[in-house]
Amino acid sequence: MESLIWQPHAFPYEIVIVDDGSTDPDTLRTIGRCAEHAEVRVVHQEHSGHHSARNTGIDAASFSYVMQLDADDRLATSPELLKAGSYPDRAVKLLKTHQHLVFVHTMSRMIGDFEGLTISSYPCREELILRKQHVPTSIVYRRDDAIREGLYDPHVRKWGDWAFAVNLLTGRFREGPRTTSSASPAPFTNAASTRAHGGSPTPRCRSST
């Protein structure tokens, strides 16, 4: 959450934290501390799984553009990377300017058991999305598109972020206009590498700008 607040935001933003029915005392204390920040809104729900938590965050978002992060992800805060603006701001500007763009993404730097950039899956062009079956969690997209295409499917147990992004692309394709995605070249997100090895941490944080 701190990495979101530390971004040099040009647009108004909010941070929506979804508590998916946690009973862990440490988690609940952390959520309570997060809620003390003016930018943060906490939404509680009965435990329903990570796709349901993502959908709850999208539904609760107040703004037109959404970016989501898992609890073990963080945005880059290096001043050198942020000279030209934050990843969320740059993504929103692209989506506002180019209506054919469905979502914007950036490379992730993995930390933990595996160290390095996930360059083999970037940039996420349509052909590579189909071949690699990978789209990062931290894409920035239009909230209306997500709601129109049915949000996350709770029955998809694996590659849920990929299936969600494919639905966004497919929905726009059915409407007829040219559709594509766009990449911010610098690695603006850090992700715990346990997810790359098949782990499935429960998402807690949603951010919209």
Side-chain angles (χ1 to χ4, degrees), residues 97-142:
T97 305
H98 305 286
Q99 290 302 309
H100 68 281
L101 290 181
V102 179
F103 62 82
V104 180
H105 66 283
T106 187
M107 287 193 295
S108 297
R109 182 181 298 278
M110 308 302 288
I111 55 177
D113 295 336
F114 171 80
E115 296 279 349
L117 298 173
T118 54
I119 57 175
S120 63
S121 297
Y122 294 90
C124 288
R125 301 305 184 202
E126 287 85 345
E127 181 272 336
L128 193 59
I129 289 172
L130 292 175
R131 181 161 56 87
K132 287 286 188 176
Q133 295 183 320
H134 170 78
V135 173
T137 301
S138 57
I139 62 173
V140 182
Y141 54 90
R142 298 175 182 86

Short mmCIF file of all heavy atoms in Angstrom, two decimals, residues 97-142:
data_model
loop_
_atom_site.label_atom_id
_atom_site.label_comp_id
_atom_site.label_asym_id
_atom_site.label_seq_id
_atom_site.Cartn_x
_atom_site.Cartn_y
_atom_site.Cartn_z
N THR A 97 -6.17 8.74 -24.22
CA THR A 97 -5.80 9.26 -25.54
C THR A 97 -6.13 8.29 -26.66
O THR A 97 -6.51 8.70 -27.76
CB THR A 97 -4.30 9.59 -25.56
OG1 THR A 97 -4.01 10.50 -24.49
CG2 THR A 97 -3.90 10.22 -26.88
N HIS A 98 -6.00 6.98 -26.39
CA HIS A 98 -6.13 5.97 -27.42
C HIS A 98 -7.27 5.02 -27.08
O HIS A 98 -7.10 4.09 -26.28
CB HIS A 98 -4.83 5.20 -27.59
CG HIS A 98 -3.64 6.07 -27.87
ND1 HIS A 98 -3.43 6.69 -29.09
CD2 HIS A 98 -2.60 6.45 -27.07
CE1 HIS A 98 -2.32 7.40 -29.04
NE2 HIS A 98 -1.80 7.27 -27.83
N GLN A 99 -8.42 5.25 -27.67
CA GLN A 99 -9.60 4.45 -27.35
C GLN A 99 -9.46 3.00 -27.79
O GLN A 99 -10.15 2.12 -27.26
CB GLN A 99 -10.84 5.07 -28.00
CG GLN A 99 -11.26 6.39 -27.38
CD GLN A 99 -11.56 6.25 -25.89
OE1 GLN A 99 -12.31 5.38 -25.48
NE2 GLN A 99 -10.96 7.12 -25.09
N HIS A 100 -8.57 2.70 -28.75
CA HIS A 100 -8.42 1.32 -29.19
C HIS A 100 -7.64 0.48 -28.18
O HIS A 100 -7.64 -0.74 -28.26
CB HIS A 100 -7.72 1.27 -30.55
CG HIS A 100 -6.29 1.71 -30.52
ND1 HIS A 100 -5.93 3.04 -30.50
CD2 HIS A 100 -5.13 0.99 -30.48
CE1 HIS A 100 -4.61 3.12 -30.46
NE2 HIS A 100 -4.10 1.90 -30.45
N LEU A 101 -6.94 1.14 -27.24
CA LEU A 101 -6.21 0.38 -26.23
C LEU A 101 -7.19 -0.24 -25.24
O LEU A 101 -8.07 0.45 -24.72
CB LEU A 101 -5.23 1.28 -25.49
CG LEU A 101 -4.00 1.77 -26.26
CD1 LEU A 101 -3.13 2.64 -25.36
CD2 LEU A 101 -3.21 0.61 -26.81
N VAL A 102 -7.03 -1.51 -24.96
CA VAL A 102 -7.89 -2.20 -24.00
C VAL A 102 -7.30 -2.16 -22.61
O VAL A 102 -8.01 -1.98 -21.63
CB VAL A 102 -8.13 -3.65 -24.46
CG1 VAL A 102 -9.02 -4.40 -23.46
CG2 VAL A 102 -8.77 -3.68 -25.83
N PHE A 103 -5.99 -2.36 -22.52
CA PHE A 103 -5.32 -2.25 -21.22
C PHE A 103 -3.86 -1.89 -21.43
O PHE A 103 -3.31 -2.02 -22.53
CB PHE A 103 -5.45 -3.53 -20.39
CG PHE A 103 -4.82 -4.76 -20.99
CD1 PHE A 103 -3.46 -5.01 -20.88
CD2 PHE A 103 -5.61 -5.70 -21.64
CE1 PHE A 103 -2.88 -6.15 -21.41
CE2 PHE A 103 -5.05 -6.84 -22.19
CZ PHE A 103 -3.68 -7.06 -22.08
N VAL A 104 -3.24 -1.41 -20.37
CA VAL A 104 -1.82 -1.07 -20.37
C VAL A 104 -1.14 -1.91 -19.30
O VAL A 104 -1.70 -2.15 -18.24
CB VAL A 104 -1.61 0.43 -20.08
CG1 VAL A 104 -0.12 0.78 -20.06
CG2 VAL A 104 -2.36 1.29 -21.10
N HIS A 105 0.08 -2.37 -19.59
CA HIS A 105 0.80 -3.20 -18.64
C HIS A 105 2.25 -2.77 -18.59
O HIS A 105 2.71 -1.94 -19.40
CB HIS A 105 0.71 -4.68 -19.04
CG HIS A 105 1.41 -4.98 -20.33
ND1 HIS A 105 0.87 -4.66 -21.55
CD2 HIS A 105 2.62 -5.54 -20.59
CE1 HIS A 105 1.71 -5.03 -22.51
NE2 HIS A 105 2.77 -5.57 -21.95
N THR A 106 2.98 -3.32 -17.65
CA THR A 106 4.41 -3.06 -17.55
C THR A 106 5.11 -4.35 -17.15
O THR A 106 4.47 -5.32 -16.73
CB THR A 106 4.71 -1.96 -16.51
OG1 THR A 106 6.09 -1.62 -16.56
CG2 THR A 106 4.37 -2.42 -15.10
N MET A 107 6.43 -4.39 -17.31
CA MET A 107 7.19 -5.55 -16.89
C MET A 107 7.21 -5.63 -15.36
O MET A 107 7.14 -4.61 -14.68
CB MET A 107 8.61 -5.50 -17.42
CG MET A 107 8.72 -5.77 -18.90
SD MET A 107 10.43 -6.07 -19.41
CE MET A 107 11.17 -4.47 -19.08
N SER A 108 7.33 -6.84 -14.85
CA SER A 108 7.45 -7.06 -13.41
C SER A 108 8.84 -7.58 -13.09
O SER A 108 9.38 -8.42 -13.82
CB SER A 108 6.41 -8.08 -12.93
OG SER A 108 5.10 -7.59 -13.12
N ARG A 109 9.40 -7.09 -12.01
CA ARG A 109 10.67 -7.62 -11.51
C ARG A 109 10.34 -8.57 -10.37
O ARG A 109 9.80 -8.16 -9.35
CB ARG A 109 11.58 -6.50 -11.03
CG ARG A 109 12.95 -7.01 -10.54
CD ARG A 109 13.80 -5.85 -10.04
NE ARG A 109 14.09 -4.88 -11.08
CZ ARG A 109 15.06 -5.01 -11.98
NH1 ARG A 109 15.83 -6.09 -11.96
NH2 ARG A 109 15.26 -4.09 -12.89
N MET A 110 10.64 -9.85 -10.55
CA MET A 110 10.35 -10.84 -9.54
C MET A 110 11.38 -10.76 -8.41
O MET A 110 12.57 -10.53 -8.66
CB MET A 110 10.35 -12.24 -10.14
CG MET A 110 9.46 -12.40 -11.38
SD MET A 110 7.73 -11.97 -11.08
CE MET A 110 7.23 -13.36 -10.08
N ILE A 111 10.94 -10.97 -7.18
CA ILE A 111 11.83 -10.97 -6.02
C ILE A 111 11.53 -12.21 -5.20
O ILE A 111 10.40 -12.68 -5.16
CB ILE A 111 11.65 -9.69 -5.17
CG1 ILE A 111 10.18 -9.51 -4.76
CG2 ILE A 111 12.15 -8.46 -5.91
CD1 ILE A 111 9.95 -8.31 -3.85
N GLY A 112 12.54 -12.75 -4.55
CA GLY A 112 12.34 -13.95 -3.74
C GLY A 112 13.15 -15.11 -4.29
O GLY A 112 14.34 -14.98 -4.59
N ASP A 113 12.50 -16.27 -4.46
CA ASP A 113 13.20 -17.46 -4.95
C ASP A 113 13.74 -17.25 -6.36
O ASP A 113 14.77 -17.80 -6.74
CB ASP A 113 12.26 -18.67 -4.95
CG ASP A 113 11.83 -19.06 -3.54
OD1 ASP A 113 12.57 -18.71 -2.60
OD2 ASP A 113 10.77 -19.69 -3.39
N PHE A 114 13.01 -16.49 -7.16
CA PHE A 114 13.44 -16.17 -8.52
C PHE A 114 13.64 -14.67 -8.62
O PHE A 114 12.78 -13.90 -8.22
CB PHE A 114 12.40 -16.64 -9.55
CG PHE A 114 12.68 -16.15 -10.94
CD1 PHE A 114 13.61 -16.79 -11.73
CD2 PHE A 114 12.02 -15.04 -11.45
CE1 PHE A 114 13.89 -16.34 -13.02
CE2 PHE A 114 12.29 -14.59 -12.72
CZ PHE A 114 13.22 -15.24 -13.51
N GLU A 115 14.79 -14.25 -9.14
CA GLU A 115 15.09 -12.83 -9.27
C GLU A 115 15.21 -12.47 -10.74
O GLU A 115 15.85 -13.18 -11.51
CB GLU A 115 16.42 -12.50 -8.57
CG GLU A 115 16.42 -12.73 -7.07
CD GLU A 115 15.79 -11.58 -6.30
OE1 GLU A 115 15.55 -10.53 -6.92
OE2 GLU A 115 15.56 -11.73 -5.09
N GLY A 116 14.58 -11.39 -11.14
CA GLY A 116 14.76 -10.92 -12.50
C GLY A 116 13.47 -10.46 -13.13
O GLY A 116 12.38 -10.56 -12.55
N LEU A 117 13.60 -9.93 -14.36
CA LEU A 117 12.45 -9.43 -15.10
C LEU A 117 11.73 -10.57 -15.81
O LEU A 117 12.36 -11.51 -16.30
CB LEU A 117 12.90 -8.39 -16.12
CG LEU A 117 13.58 -7.13 -15.57
CD1 LEU A 117 14.12 -6.29 -16.71
CD2 LEU A 117 12.61 -6.33 -14.72
N THR A 118 10.41 -10.45 -15.89
CA THR A 118 9.62 -11.46 -16.60
C THR A 118 9.53 -11.07 -18.07
O THR A 118 8.45 -10.88 -18.62
CB THR A 118 8.22 -11.57 -15.98
OG1 THR A 118 7.62 -10.27 -15.96
CG2 THR A 118 8.27 -12.11 -14.58
N ILE A 119 10.68 -11.00 -18.71
CA ILE A 119 10.74 -10.46 -20.07
C ILE A 119 10.19 -11.42 -21.11
O ILE A 119 9.85 -11.00 -22.21
CB ILE A 119 12.18 -10.05 -20.44
CG1 ILE A 119 13.13 -11.24 -20.29
CG2 ILE A 119 12.66 -8.89 -19.57
CD1 ILE A 119 14.55 -10.94 -20.75
N SER A 120 10.12 -12.72 -20.81
CA SER A 120 9.68 -13.68 -21.84
C SER A 120 8.22 -13.52 -22.19
O SER A 120 7.76 -14.06 -23.19
CB SER A 120 9.94 -15.11 -21.36
OG SER A 120 9.16 -15.40 -20.21
N SER A 121 7.46 -12.78 -21.38
CA SER A 121 6.03 -12.61 -21.63
C SER A 121 5.68 -11.18 -21.99
O SER A 121 4.51 -10.80 -21.90
CB SER A 121 5.23 -13.05 -20.40
OG SER A 121 5.42 -14.41 -20.13
N TYR A 122 6.66 -10.37 -22.37
CA TYR A 122 6.41 -8.97 -22.67
C TYR A 122 7.04 -8.58 -24.00
O TYR A 122 8.06 -9.14 -24.38
CB TYR A 122 6.99 -8.10 -21.55
CG TYR A 122 6.29 -8.30 -20.24
CD1 TYR A 122 6.71 -9.27 -19.34
CD2 TYR A 122 5.15 -7.56 -19.92
CE1 TYR A 122 6.05 -9.48 -18.15
CE2 TYR A 122 4.49 -7.76 -18.73
CZ TYR A 122 4.94 -8.71 -17.85
OH TYR A 122 4.28 -8.92 -16.67
N PRO A 123 6.49 -7.58 -24.68
CA PRO A 123 5.19 -6.95 -24.37
C PRO A 123 4.02 -7.87 -24.68
O PRO A 123 4.14 -8.77 -25.51
CB PRO A 123 5.17 -5.71 -25.28
CG PRO A 123 6.03 -6.10 -26.44
CD PRO A 123 7.11 -6.98 -25.88
N CYS A 124 2.91 -7.68 -24.00
CA CYS A 124 1.75 -8.58 -24.11
C CYS A 124 0.94 -8.29 -25.37
O CYS A 124 -0.18 -7.77 -25.30
CB CYS A 124 0.85 -8.47 -22.88
SG CYS A 124 1.54 -9.18 -21.40
N ARG A 125 1.49 -8.62 -26.52
CA ARG A 125 0.72 -8.53 -27.76
C ARG A 125 -0.23 -9.71 -27.84
O ARG A 125 -0.06 -10.72 -27.15
CB ARG A 125 1.65 -8.49 -28.96
CG ARG A 125 2.64 -7.34 -28.95
CD ARG A 125 1.97 -6.00 -28.81
NE ARG A 125 2.91 -4.89 -28.88
CZ ARG A 125 2.67 -3.69 -28.37
NH1 ARG A 125 1.53 -3.44 -27.77
NH2 ARG A 125 3.57 -2.73 -28.47
N GLU A 126 -1.22 -9.60 -28.72
CA GLU A 126 -2.26 -10.61 -28.76
C GLU A 126 -1.71 -12.02 -28.98
O GLU A 126 -2.11 -12.97 -28.31
CB GLU A 126 -3.29 -10.28 -29.86
CG GLU A 126 -4.21 -9.11 -29.54
CD GLU A 126 -3.59 -7.76 -29.89
OE1 GLU A 126 -2.35 -7.72 -30.11
OE2 GLU A 126 -4.31 -6.76 -29.95
N GLU A 127 -0.77 -12.15 -29.91
CA GLU A 127 -0.21 -13.48 -30.20
C GLU A 127 0.52 -14.05 -28.99
O GLU A 127 0.41 -15.24 -28.67
CB GLU A 127 0.74 -13.38 -31.40
CG GLU A 127 1.37 -14.70 -31.83
CD GLU A 127 2.65 -15.01 -31.09
OE1 GLU A 127 3.30 -14.06 -30.60
OE2 GLU A 127 2.98 -16.21 -30.98
N LEU A 128 1.26 -13.20 -28.29
CA LEU A 128 2.02 -13.67 -27.13
C LEU A 128 1.08 -14.00 -25.97
O LEU A 128 1.34 -14.94 -25.20
CB LEU A 128 3.04 -12.61 -26.71
CG LEU A 128 4.11 -13.06 -25.71
CD1 LEU A 128 4.92 -14.21 -26.30
CD2 LEU A 128 5.03 -11.90 -25.35
N ILE A 129 0.01 -13.23 -25.83
CA ILE A 129 -0.97 -13.53 -24.78
C ILE A 129 -1.53 -14.93 -24.98
O ILE A 129 -1.67 -15.72 -24.02
CB ILE A 129 -2.10 -12.49 -24.78
CG1 ILE A 129 -1.57 -11.14 -24.27
CG2 ILE A 129 -3.27 -12.95 -23.92
CD1 ILE A 129 -2.55 -10.00 -24.42
N LEU A 130 -1.86 -15.29 -26.21
CA LEU A 130 -2.41 -16.61 -26.48
C LEU A 130 -1.36 -17.70 -26.29
O LEU A 130 -1.67 -18.78 -25.77
CB LEU A 130 -2.96 -16.66 -27.91
CG LEU A 130 -4.20 -15.81 -28.18
CD1 LEU A 130 -4.56 -15.86 -29.67
CD2 LEU A 130 -5.38 -16.28 -27.34
N ARG A 131 -0.13 -17.44 -26.71
CA ARG A 131 0.90 -18.48 -26.67
C ARG A 131 1.44 -18.70 -25.27
O ARG A 131 1.67 -19.83 -24.85
CB ARG A 131 2.04 -18.11 -27.63
CG ARG A 131 3.16 -19.13 -27.69
CD ARG A 131 4.00 -18.94 -28.95
NE ARG A 131 4.52 -17.59 -29.08
CZ ARG A 131 5.67 -17.18 -28.54
NH1 ARG A 131 6.40 -18.03 -27.82
NH2 ARG A 131 6.09 -15.96 -28.72
N LYS A 132 1.64 -17.62 -24.50
CA LYS A 132 2.23 -17.72 -23.17
C LYS A 132 1.19 -17.90 -22.06
O LYS A 132 1.53 -18.27 -20.95
CB LYS A 132 3.06 -16.47 -22.87
CG LYS A 132 4.37 -16.38 -23.63
CD LYS A 132 5.39 -17.36 -23.05
CE LYS A 132 6.74 -17.15 -23.67
NZ LYS A 132 7.78 -18.02 -23.05
N GLN A 133 -0.06 -17.59 -22.37
CA GLN A 133 -1.13 -17.66 -21.37
C GLN A 133 -0.74 -16.89 -20.10
O GLN A 133 -0.87 -17.37 -18.98
CB GLN A 133 -1.48 -19.10 -21.03
CG GLN A 133 -2.07 -19.86 -22.22
CD GLN A 133 -2.49 -21.26 -21.89
OE1 GLN A 133 -1.80 -21.98 -21.17
NE2 GLN A 133 -3.62 -21.68 -22.40
N HIS A 134 -0.25 -15.67 -20.33
CA HIS A 134 0.17 -14.85 -19.20
C HIS A 134 -0.17 -13.39 -19.46
O HIS A 134 0.12 -12.85 -20.52
CB HIS A 134 1.68 -14.96 -18.98
CG HIS A 134 2.20 -13.96 -17.99
ND1 HIS A 134 2.05 -14.13 -16.62
CD2 HIS A 134 2.85 -12.78 -18.16
CE1 HIS A 134 2.59 -13.09 -16.00
NE2 HIS A 134 3.08 -12.26 -16.90
N VAL A 135 -0.81 -12.78 -18.48
CA VAL A 135 -1.00 -11.34 -18.42
C VAL A 135 -0.82 -10.97 -16.95
O VAL A 135 -1.36 -11.64 -16.07
CB VAL A 135 -2.40 -10.91 -18.92
CG1 VAL A 135 -2.62 -9.43 -18.68
CG2 VAL A 135 -2.57 -11.24 -20.39
N PRO A 136 -0.07 -9.92 -16.64
CA PRO A 136 0.18 -9.60 -15.23
C PRO A 136 -1.08 -9.11 -14.52
O PRO A 136 -2.02 -8.62 -15.14
CB PRO A 136 1.23 -8.49 -15.31
CG PRO A 136 1.05 -7.89 -16.66
CD PRO A 136 0.63 -9.01 -17.56
N THR A 137 -1.07 -9.26 -13.21
CA THR A 137 -2.18 -8.77 -12.40
C THR A 137 -2.34 -7.27 -12.53
O THR A 137 -3.47 -6.75 -12.52
CB THR A 137 -1.94 -9.13 -10.92
OG1 THR A 137 -1.82 -10.55 -10.79
CG2 THR A 137 -3.08 -8.63 -10.04
N SER A 138 -1.23 -6.54 -12.65
CA SER A 138 -1.23 -5.09 -12.50
C SER A 138 -1.55 -4.33 -13.78
O SER A 138 -1.07 -3.20 -13.95
CB SER A 138 0.13 -4.64 -11.96
OG SER A 138 1.18 -5.08 -12.84
N ILE A 139 -2.36 -4.88 -14.67
CA ILE A 139 -2.77 -4.11 -15.84
C ILE A 139 -3.69 -2.96 -15.41
O ILE A 139 -4.35 -3.03 -14.38
CB ILE A 139 -3.48 -5.00 -16.89
CG1 ILE A 139 -4.77 -5.60 -16.31
CG2 ILE A 139 -2.55 -6.08 -17.40
CD1 ILE A 139 -5.61 -6.35 -17.35
N VAL A 140 -3.70 -1.91 -16.21
CA VAL A 140 -4.60 -0.78 -15.99
C VAL A 140 -5.63 -0.81 -17.12
O VAL A 140 -5.27 -0.90 -18.29
CB VAL A 140 -3.84 0.56 -15.99
CG1 VAL A 140 -4.81 1.71 -15.71
CG2 VAL A 140 -2.73 0.53 -14.93
N TYR A 141 -6.90 -0.73 -16.78
CA TYR A 141 -7.97 -0.90 -17.75
C TYR A 141 -9.17 -0.05 -17.36
O TYR A 141 -9.21 0.55 -16.27
CB TYR A 141 -8.38 -2.39 -17.84
CG TYR A 141 -8.75 -2.99 -16.51
CD1 TYR A 141 -10.05 -2.95 -16.02
CD2 TYR A 141 -7.77 -3.57 -15.70
CE1 TYR A 141 -10.38 -3.47 -14.79
CE2 TYR A 141 -8.08 -4.09 -14.46
CZ TYR A 141 -9.39 -4.05 -14.01
OH TYR A 141 -9.70 -4.56 -12.77
N ARG A 142 -10.15 0.01 -18.24
CA ARG A 142 -11.37 0.76 -17.97
C ARG A 142 -12.34 -0.08 -17.13
O ARG A 142 -12.64 -1.22 -17.47
CB ARG A 142 -12.05 1.17 -19.29
CG ARG A 142 -11.20 2.08 -20.15
CD ARG A 142 -11.86 2.36 -21.50
NE ARG A 142 -11.00 3.20 -22.34
CZ ARG A 142 -10.04 2.72 -23.12
NH1 ARG A 142 -9.82 1.41 -23.18
NH2 ARG A 142 -9.30 3.54 -23.84
#
